[in-house]
């Protein structure tokens, strides 16, 4: 019984575009996951650092951009972080002090382009790698650039066994952000590299999201850890766009949550958490991955490499420089 | 409002390996779909013709085959049909007389190997094409061979509009059988060929199946028509294996159903039907496909062909001769 | 004096998303260019067939799509054309009957994704090739997909000399749509393939556009033919979004024009045409290309291939299938 | 008389799924082959490392998997080895210390899929290559994946002459596992690459196996070295499935052996060994291959390449990554 | 139990190159098979009509042909038959009168070349097809030409059921002559066309032949009917070459027989017959083919068409004219 | 409002090839920029130190060089400066005393070759880097060598905020000389390294120059600071070549100026200055770069790295030694 670890998903919101306050939240919630639940791994939502500008239009209609939209973009770009930067250093310190491996959704600034990114931070080695979202969805396409094949890490992390002190557990981790989870080829890539802990930072709070999370757990025979934001109007700057400008209320829900942890055989282990911030935690028995692959390994015995050709192209984008 | 058709999914069971009785059921249920529900298309479950030998072991353990297992295979192989054959001709007649396009799960015999196949039969043109399951699951691997890239049709069918007589509606159809639905590359292939009516004959009656069906509708922005068998012990030969040989009861459920029709935006239009045989029907507005692809087209604007290379290999198998 | 041809740029607007009426306009204006101005080549604006949905938001804010936006997309997608299709056949007929080579901006539908495309149609050979816009701008990213390296044609066309009957003039043509003109690597690609008649269909009517058009003529030592839409509220469906919903007026200008023809040495030969529909025409002396390359050939004697490596990657996208 | 080598076939069983104990057996039996018989080459049976789960069903019937079957798979998968891994290193050491070239059947784990593999280990160069079984038989299909064209090595090894010290003997080796030996195209592939020492690790202990081994020696004009397991109930974990659960006896035979060495003209040189573990050894005169090809060379003078086209396709599977 | 037929193999010798006497033997032995054993099918040995000139050298040594060798060839060529010819007509009559389907080894003369051929003669339809040996062995190469891809028939014959009068049994038949049986690609071709009754006329009487016959039955999951000559010196012309010219004896054995009938699961059903002429007969349950293909179908579920490409080339030889 | 700096462009002429007088001008005009306009950065024209020998032919016709041309080159080469040298030291002192960052066009002598160079001089760190023009234009090719990839600096400079004392502003600077501005790949290189203050020393005074400057500001989303010479005949040695030797007049304009400062959104902030020497100054809000990149970042979200491959080669020229 030595093959388990304890993992948390944190459901929370950016602190009104304030980097410092948001990093403080990250510290507080990581400590909670550690101290209350014994977490060794914690996943934070998409765009947690930097913020998800829900309801904004950035002054756009087809064929025109208004100047105030550009100003909104400047404000948003300034709330983003570079890698490396002091913000990354702070996250490394939090990880080190709590001994919790962190997967955190951030808005990354690189020159004049922003990316929706997830960073992997190790308690001992610090910042390890990042994943940039490959395809922004709908309006996101006007504020975020596209990642490329150079930032699709599947990392191997050795944890201490959660139930057998002194024994170690190896696990492979990856991150897939929001509607990237609908991309069958991206998932196939991660499966083929053996992801076992499939982190899914998101802001998609629709009920239908749960179907896709369960499907992915079953399809990939991996643990799915979906971390969604729970955000209210008070979590945004006071002048931020809202659903109904005539009914502003600090408690109005902007993003409803739905964070969840699911096993490789499709069993919901924790969550979905709805209607509040919070931390959910589950014990992950890594052997469940093998139990699942017994009858389905879509890039192994259940693949048809003779019928379908699939491969990652050589990375070509800016991230590959 | 001229872009709709009416489609049915038939939940039923093979008539105890009797070909003639099973074809009679096919005729009776197709007529019901037509006369009661106005169906223009009907999808029948996996292995409806030929049967799904649930609970059988065919006398196998690792490293040994017992002779009675071979005899069971002979009986099962003889219940299968060839293409073409008189059974196909009968299905063509049923389709023609009812003016219903049929997608039917059959067990196909080709020389000494059986395939789990879906056939497409048109009221006017008769038998059009077939799809052979690419990867049998678990024990199925010892009774069925593997299909290949030569039998992955996506067919274009012109129906009469369900709400605007005299107007026509074009729709693209495909078939994916049971756990093939977990194969991300097969689904990607069908999506890239524009499938709009994604037929999913199956015998998987687990509740988790519903998650996957909804996920596929959302991922592929297509209508999903999942036809499951509903079978009881009485639907099998009297000496067929059962879950508990000490508690045989003709009414014991062998396959529990769960047939369902889902829209491209993930809305359940009919079903899931549980605990009984029956026909479920829905009106499919083909424009919903475009409504869905507006923000997600995983082989179009939401693909990353620069990152992932994907293609069908030249067919290589027996089906390609 | 045998090396000249006569070329027109047509400034006009889509006929309220009506394909038939728009094709009629295409025919009428092509005949005008031919009969009044002796045109041998005519360039139509971006999205002329299919329409440019200026001011629309398609119901989007960051993080949400409203159902009416999906319906708007369906309407827009249905106004688009496939290649080939009857609309293409009609354009071929117009080209053949008038003996005018046509470069026309169209909205192309391919499965569930739309592309902003320019088609090249020859009086004798019919449809020759297409160019799909590589990067949609801002809100366009939520309605159009991205082209790829498989649709970057530079075509050689032999015209009859405009001033020496019986003598022929060879010219190389390319098309670059709207803000693609800001992409230095795309322009470099076209220059390196010897484009001489650089067609630039657009809907950018800002005065600053003129600077870029002149710059490109000078940088590339090529004729620049920029065709912009001139559109008023009356050219759109009655319920289309406008700049000020409280001040709808059929004559309000939506897209202001600015079509222009510029020589390889930066001389404006015709236009810019502002405030009205119309056809502008100029005589192009192809020898001016050589006159200009005497002291500047940015992919020839003025290149530094030892310093910068530049090449087209193997096409990877859907257009390359 | 300088063209002979001494080769052994080892008939033995996995040590109850214990990797360490099995590697100890491998060392002990290799030393025996070396010290007692002067072996330069030793072939071990199919699945020797990892084990052949004879009589298991892994909880499967058609259409259902029971949870205890998944647990059995986890146990089985954990007994398998990766390549490379410490187990491979240990085999390399044994080969180096004894100066015996080893061909060993192993269960290989690659991500979530197991393969039935043979590894080739050289005393000087260590691990050289592997062959993964192309088609598992019957129930094996639910525990093992399929190899592909990238792991079909025919290796050239230079041995010291067994009878003329200081002289060297070159020999080509290949491996074909169990019922792969029934695949005429696989054998043809190996023949066409000149295999001379055709190693056949197996667990097929039926008397009929001897016919096929002799046939292959004659058909391929090669030495056939068939290494079968000899296993009793005591060689399996105490709770392992057996033929008759009511008559468990540690000495009951599970796999009966039948290891044999046959010359290219069909002469049995050693074995078949039945009813016990053991090492059989023969002197192989490589000139017998030529003696046999004098009148039959099925991929040479006895082929009909004008009638039959045959070739290996480009490898497409996971092994080709 | 309706799927059986009765089949005989005839072990005999040519009547001293006398065509008429040999045809008389054919009639007598066919009637015996019919009347004594109820045969519906009878297979005669290689070169039964025309003779197998065992021990002859036709006056050849390497680099020289002696004139008396040419004379011997003339005599041998005149003993051969053309197709069609009166000899064929006689065989058709025997088949018709006895209602026995015949597969007979003949020496076929076509212009100046002889072929070692098997003819298929149907009681109702007469001569159906022939197979010419693809590769003569050793000295045969100086008297026989090579067949090609145009004479590789696999015929479907409908017999009356042997145990259920009024019921019919369909069976597929092929013929493979002597060492052709060692050609893996030829066998693969026949398997892929579904041969069920694999006739193997031969003159190979070595004990090793039995291994190959059993192997083929198992590999191809087909009935193997091997018909060998039993010939003594008295069956040859008086001046024919013999093993020991100093010990001529009419009873000396020239070809020792070994005819045999084997089931698809490797069970010997009749024979091997040694040391005498005679007819052996067995009941063939065609369902055994399916019983065997349950776990092995080397051109169906046990093939790897993605790994190996195999096909018949367009026939190129004289038979294809 | 903390992100602005004040920058000047100096329009002036070399003092008749007198190095000392020219350095005095540099000091005087830098002090003017500082004291009158509060400049923190000043850009001087191409060849300001060393001179631009407009109208000279250096005694060349095709195929011949006259000796007096060689003498003219000697005089011109002696007016050039080395790096480092006392002239550079003087510029460092001016920068330090005025606290103005300087970008100055110089003629650089390196052994026997002259380069058209821009030097970057920091008030605190002194000389930082240089850029050598990559391709001289037309007749320049006979007096100047070519720079290479080793001198393409993009420097980060931290200024004090112009409007918020105590706050700092980081800016990235580059220099591109005269017709280098027409090189799309050079510009792309600078954009990809994040240039924000794009300095363009030049002697091109044609009106068309303004189009290109505005285009670059828009294309690169950067501030463009174009510094042109304003030179009259009196600014050259008395015997220098002139446009019309028969109409020499000290006030004849040799180079007409046109210096200009343009914002990243294409707005002209200062200039163009025509017909006189002078200093123009503007406040640069560095946030405008982000405002511009919101909808266009040609090496970020608006790039197509999957379509075009572009990179700097390893430097190969003399500067890379």
């Amino acid at each position: 019984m030595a093959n388990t670890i304890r993992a948390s998903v944190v459901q929370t919101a950016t602190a009104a575009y304030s980097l410092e306050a948001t990093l403080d939240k990250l510290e507080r919630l990581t400590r909670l996951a550690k101290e209350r639940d014994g977490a060794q791994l914690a996943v934070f939502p998409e765009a947690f650092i930097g913020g998800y500008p829900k309801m904004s239009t950035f002054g756009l209609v087809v064929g025109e951009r208004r100047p105030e939209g550009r100003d909104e973009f400047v404000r948003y770009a300034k709330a983003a972080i570079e890698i490396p930067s002091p913000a990354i250093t702070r996250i490394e310190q939090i990880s080190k002090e709590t001994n919790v491996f962190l997967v955190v959704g951030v808005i990354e600034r690189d020159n004049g382009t922003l990316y929706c990114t997830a960073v992997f931070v190790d308690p001992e080695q610090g910042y390890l790698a990042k994943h940039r979202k490959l395809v922004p969805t709908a309006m996101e396409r006007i504020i975020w650039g596209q990642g490329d094949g150079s930032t699709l890490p599947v990392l191997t992390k050795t944890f201490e066994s959660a139930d057998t002190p002194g024994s170690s557990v190896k696990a492979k981790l990856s991150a897939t952000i929001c509607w990237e989870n609908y991309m069958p080829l991206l998932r196939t890539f991660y499966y083929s590299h053996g992801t076992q802990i499939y982190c899914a930072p998101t802001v998609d709070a629709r009920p239908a999201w749960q179907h896709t999370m369960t499907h992915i757990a079953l399809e990939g025979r991996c643990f799915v850890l979906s971390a969604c934001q729970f955000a209210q109007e008070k979590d945004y700057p006071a002048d931020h766009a809202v659903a109904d400008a005539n009914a502003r209320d600090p408690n109005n829900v902007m993003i409803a949550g739905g964070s969840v942890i699911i096993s490789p055989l499709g069993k919901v282990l924790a969550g979905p958490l709805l209607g509040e911030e919070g931390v959910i935690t589950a014990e992950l028995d890594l052997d469940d991955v093998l139990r699942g692959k017994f009858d389905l390994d879509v890039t192994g015995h259940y693949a048809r490499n003779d019928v379908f050709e699939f491969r990652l192209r050589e990375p070509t984008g800016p991230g590959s420089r």
Side-chain angles (χ1 to χ4, degrees), chain A:
Chain A
M1 281 301 290
N3 224 11
T4 62
I5 66 165
R6 292 189 66 80
S8 294
V9 163
V10 180
Q11 181 160 299
T12 179
T14 312
Y17 289 4
S18 158
L19 177 56
E20 194 172 318
T22 305
L23 289 167
D24 287 347
K25 281 182 95 166
L26 189 144
E27 177 164 357
R28 178 171 58 78
L29 291 163
T30 302
R31 289 193 186 281
L32 176 62
K34 180 67 176 189
E35 288 159 17
R36 188 193 71 188
D37 294 350
Q40 298 166 281
L41 162 70
V43 183
F44 282 79
E46 180 183 13
F48 174 58
I49 309 290
Y52 188 79
K54 187 142 182 186
M55 297 299 164
S56 287
T57 64
F58 287 85
L60 278 101
V61 294
V62 173
E64 270 202 13
R65 272 78 65 203
R66 271 170 299 190
E68 56 269 30
R70 293 188 193 276
D71 288 342
E72 187 177 2
F73 181 72
V74 169
R75 181 172 73 175
Y76 186 57
K78 289 188 169 181
I81 64 173
E82 293 183 330
I83 299 172
S85 65
I88 293 294
T89 305
R90 174 86 190 276
I91 298 172
E92 291 175 326
Q93 287 168 335
I94 295 166
S95 173
K96 187 178 179 184
E97 289 172 12
T98 57
N99 195 27
V100 175
F101 190 101
L102 294 175
V103 179
V104 184
V106 308
I107 302 304
E108 177 196 2
R109 188 175 64 240
D110 182 356
N111 230 320
T113 294
L114 306 182
Y115 296 94
C116 180
T117 297
V119 294
F120 298 81
V121 178
D122 183 87
E124 285 155 29
Q125 299 175 270
Y127 168 80
L128 290 181
K130 70 182 169 191
H131 165 60
R132 286 174 169 174
K133 193 177 188 172
L134 287 177
V135 185
T137 302
M139 284 294 278
E140 297 168 6
R141 292 182 186 178
I142 52 101
I143 48 171
W144 298 338
Q146 297 188 327
D148 64 52
S150 66
T151 54
L152 303 175
V154 178
L155 301 169
T156 300
K157 164 70 185 166
T158 303
F159 294 96
E160 196 180 6
S161 169
D163 53 14
T164 312
S167 172
S168 69
V169 177
K170 270 193 190 176
K172 291 191 175 180
L173 300 102
S174 63
T176 319
I177 304 172
C178 207
W179 277 26
E180 279 190 322
N181 286 285
Y182 285 125
M183 298 176 76
L185 299 185
L186 174 59
R187 298 198 311 268
T188 302
F189 174 80
Y190 283 136
Y191 301 155
S192 73
H193 282 70
T195 187
Q196 295 167 316
I197 301 181
Y198 179 104
C199 305
T202 191
V203 296
D204 189 333
R206 294 170 306 146
W209 188 251
Q210 301 300 320
H211 295 300
T212 288
M213 291 302 99
T214 297
H215 168 79
I216 291 172
L218 288 164
E219 178 187 75
R221 297 317 206 193
C222 49
F223 291 94
V224 170
L225 283 65
S226 183
C228 191
Q229 289 209 23
F230 174 78
Q232 293 167 293
E233 292 189 3
K234 63 186 170 194
D235 295 316
Y236 282 84
D239 59 350
H240 193 87
V242 294
D244 181 350
N246 297 321
R248 285 186 181 269
D249 179 331
N251 293 323
N252 278 347
V253 171
M254 297 280 281
I255 307 174
S259 299
V260 70
I261 301 177
I262 307 174
S263 88
L265 287 166
K267 186 178 169 194
V268 173
L269 302 179
L273 179 62
L274 290 164
E276 57 179 328
E277 281 200 327
V279 174
I280 60 174
T281 302
E283 192 158 294
L284 315 184
D285 179 352
L286 271 295
D287 285 349
D288 281 349
V289 172
L290 273 178
R291 283 187 188 94
K293 294 209 169 172
F294 172 49
D295 53 2
L296 185 71
D297 182 1
V298 294
T299 62
H301 67 79
Y302 220 99
R304 285 301 299 273
N305 295 316
D306 57 316
V307 174
F308 302 114
E309 183 171 350
F310 170 71
R311 64 177 188 84
L312 184 71
R313 294 183 191 276
E314 287 297 301
T316 60
S320 62
R321 282 197 301 248

